[in-house]
Amino acid sequence: SGRMYPDYNNGQQAFNYQSSLNQPVNYNNGFVPYQDPVKLEKKNIRSYGNRLGGAMLLTLVGVNIIGVIFVMAATIINKQMANSPIFDLVFQFIFSILMFVPAFAIVAKLSKFRIGDLFVHKSIPASHTFWFVCMGLMVSMGANVVVNWWYNILDGLGCNLDFGELELPDSVGGIIFWVFTISVLPAIVEEFGMRVVTLGMLRQFGDPFAIVASALIFGIIHGNAIQIPFAFALGLILAYITVVTGSVIPAIIIHFINNFYSCITQIATELCSKEIQFIVNYVPFILFVILGLIGCVFLSRKTVYFKKRLYRPQSLLTQRRSFVTFFFTSPCIIIFWAYHILQAGLLLLPQMAEFL
């Protein structure tokens, strides 16, 4: 059976989550011995870390095995096929679905959550959705500036910054599939895994904790030194907007437009003149920033979104201690982030080692 979802933003309720850890429990006509409620709360948080981390690790192993089989089969059938952009696109398409749908759906089921309950879709006015989208895109543009600065630093140090981006196909149909795979599909499946399941399940431990934890997982899972900080920043605003609006729809729209903007800039870079490249790169950037600032003013004056308190449970653990417990004492989540951080570092090493 699923769980009920009261309004988090009244600052008092979440998930019917009641802490009764310091009370004796009737068990087999006896009583469970008293247990430290702090230790039990930490144990509960660690269990979610292990479920989420374990699911992502198992999925990563499974996807890599499927990838090897996929490449071997394509090589046997047609070696040229295995090296074609369309082949990479098909694999990325399959990878995105397998990485974010089955594992997170299973974790939700094991944790006794119904996907329908986790999928927050409170109806908000279309104008409010528009301004929240603008606000999110403004943050995305700001994160892009910081990431470009970070990219230039790494590039100056001689780091390897070739992270195997998907090559632009030659045909019109291939380009349409490329755009769909990069912009439409991730906006759906990644939001399902991150803002629906991960954020939704972790909110019982407090909204601030859930926002930061889900954003960090979202950043780490991208697996390279350029995308990790950008995805973390984007994850923060997407999670925050999902919490304060009670709807995941604005996050899906922001995610799509952000990725679509990247697609358009890459197409312009490879196929268009310098003048068009300049327009495509900077006109939407300036527009998103201006509309985002207007959106912040509109939403702060006309609505009560920013006046709502983020939910904090009546817990013996602070949000900071919950975060430390989740990321640094849960074995599966530790292996998850250590693997991806190590992988991100190793991708930078060849040129970096030569530079040093």
Side-chain angles (χ1 to χ4, degrees), residues 67-347:
V68 170
I69 296 172
F70 205 51
V71 171
M72 289 176 62
T75 303
I76 292 171
I77 297 170
N78 187 337
K79 290 184 179 180
Q80 187 176 0
M81 180 195 303
N83 296 319
S84 69
I86 296 298
F87 176 86
D88 292 336
L89 276 176
V90 171
F91 179 72
Q92 182 63 38
F93 182 90
I94 296 172
F95 175 86
S96 296
I97 295 175
L98 293 181
M99 191 71 188
F100 288 98
V101 178
F104 289 98
I106 291 171
V107 167
K109 184 68 174 178
L110 292 176
S111 303
K112 303 187 185 308
F113 290 98
R114 290 185 305 201
I115 298 299
D117 291 332
L118 291 172
F119 194 94
V120 287
H121 47 85
K122 180 181 178 181
S123 178
I124 61 175
S127 61
H128 296 183
T129 299
F130 173 79
W131 290 118
F132 270 115
V133 168
C134 292
M135 187 177 75
L137 291 172
M138 178 187 68
V139 172
S140 172
M141 296 303 104
N144 263 312
V145 172
V146 175
V147 167
N148 285 334
W149 171 75
W150 175 234
Y151 179 95
N152 291 330
I153 291 178
L154 294 178
D155 188 46
L157 293 174
C159 296
N160 175 26
L161 299 176
D162 181 12
F163 300 124
E165 293 184 354
L166 292 173
E167 184 180 343
L168 185 66
D170 297 328
S171 64
V172 174
I175 292 176
I176 294 173
F177 183 48
W178 177 81
V179 170
F180 181 86
T181 302
I182 293 177
S183 60
V184 179
L185 184 64
I188 298 172
V189 299
E190 292 181 16
E191 289 309 304
F192 170 79
M194 294 292 104
R195 256 61 65 181
V196 174
V197 176
T198 303
L199 176 68
M201 291 198 310
L202 295 182
R203 287 185 69 187
Q204 63 183 294
F205 304 114
D207 283 339
F209 162 75
I211 289 170
V212 176
S214 63
L216 189 55
I217 291 173
F218 182 58
I220 291 171
I221 210 168
H222 281 77
N224 67 66
I226 300 300
Q227 288 184 303
I228 286 176
F230 175 80
F232 172 65
L234 186 63
L236 285 175
I237 190 63
L238 293 179
Y240 176 76
I241 289 175
T242 300
V243 167
V244 298
T245 62
S247 173
V248 75
I249 302 303
I252 292 175
I253 297 172
I254 295 166
H255 199 148
F256 162 70
I257 296 176
N258 174 76
N259 288 14
F260 185 72
Y261 173 63
S262 297
C263 289
I264 297 301
T265 56
Q266 186 172 339
I267 291 173
T269 299
E270 296 190 23
L271 302 179
C272 300
S273 65
K274 295 291 185 182
E275 291 77 12
I276 294 181
Q277 289 179 36
F278 181 84
I279 293 172
V280 169
N281 276 280
Y282 291 103
V283 170
F285 181 94
I286 295 171
L287 183 64
F288 290 152
V289 171
I290 293 174
L291 289 177
L293 291 173
I294 296 173
C296 288
V297 174
F298 173 84
L299 291 168
S300 63
R301 291 185 175 182
K302 302 296 183 181
T303 72
V304 295
Y305 292 110
F306 300 136
K307 296 180 181 179
K308 292 180 179 179
R309 291 185 297 165
L310 297 180
Y311 167 72
R312 296 172 185 267
Q314 295 180 352
S315 169
L316 298 175
L317 296 178
T318 63
Q319 295 288 275
R320 181 172 174 271
R321 288 182 69 187
S322 296
F323 183 87
V324 171
T325 300
F326 183 82
F327 277 102
F328 297 100
T329 68
S330 308
C332 288
I333 207 74
I334 290 172
I335 296 172
F336 159 76
W337 65 253
Y339 168 80
H340 283 88
I341 295 297
L342 180 62
Q343 180 189 47
L346 289 175
L347 288 173

